[in-house]
Amino acid sequence: MLMKSIVTGLAGTALLATVAIAQTPPAATTDKAAPAATATTTTASGQWRTSKMDGLKVYNEANENIGTINDLLMDKNGDIKIAVIGVGGFLGMGEHLVAVPYEKLKFVNEPVAYTGTGANTGSRPAGTTTGAATGTDRPAATASTSSASKWYPDHAVFNASKDELKNMPQFKYAE
């Protein structure tokens, strides 16, 4: 009985080996065109990920939080032309969307300098403040990350007040 099992196992292995050998791909021919897709670089030092830009805080020049980036719109050439900023609202409800020219935004890698003495100012949410020790509005673990190794800026600056943005025409996506 044992000998019959061994012979059956060897025969099955031989059959599988012949099927595998028969399925080897044909040799590559040289008359085919080279693939069109090529990588430009293997590293992207100094580049920002657009996926990390969603939700990025926007401040004005007086360091007041005026909104967050909700979307980036590009033309057919891949150039980013418009930043959609959400102003006001609570947890996405009642938020006023405005479209601003992308080139009018200034991106900053360093955290906003906190100069207030109170526990909380209107422009800094209490839940994300790490205190005077770090001087940032990001959690302490993120604050220690060097700006050279991050794949996104700390925040954006746009020269307008929150009220000026709320008074701009509301942006609506075409359907």
Side-chain angles (χ1 to χ4, degrees), residues 11 29 51 61 75 85 100 103 108 119 136 164:
T29 58
S51 62
E61 292 177 354
D75 63 11
I85 298 177
V100 299
E103 67 269 3
V108 181
T136 67
E164 289 173 331

Side-chain angles (χ1 to χ4, degrees), residues 46-139:
Q47 304 295 315
W48 290 332
R49 294 174 57 185
T50 56
S51 62
K52 297 290 187 179
M53 302 294 265
D54 186 24
L56 192 72
K57 292 184 180 184
V58 181
Y59 292 86
N60 61 14
E61 292 177 354
N63 287 342
E64 297 169 331
N65 186 349
I66 58 174
T68 58
I69 294 178
N70 281 21
D71 209 348
L72 298 174
L73 306 178
M74 67 175 87
D75 63 11
K76 292 180 181 181
N77 294 325
D79 298 324
I80 299 173
K81 296 295 184 181
I82 295 173
V84 179
I85 298 177
V87 184
F90 181 71
L91 298 175
M93 302 292 292
E95 190 172 49
H96 181 77
L97 298 178
V98 295
V100 299
Y102 182 75
E103 67 269 3
K104 298 288 184 183
L105 290 173
K106 177 181 149 192
F107 293 96
V108 181
N109 286 330
E110 284 73 37
V112 175
Y114 178 63
T115 58
T117 57
N120 186 20
T121 64
S123 63
R124 301 176 65 79
T128 58
T129 303
T130 59
T134 61
T136 67
D137 61 345
R138 295 199 181 269

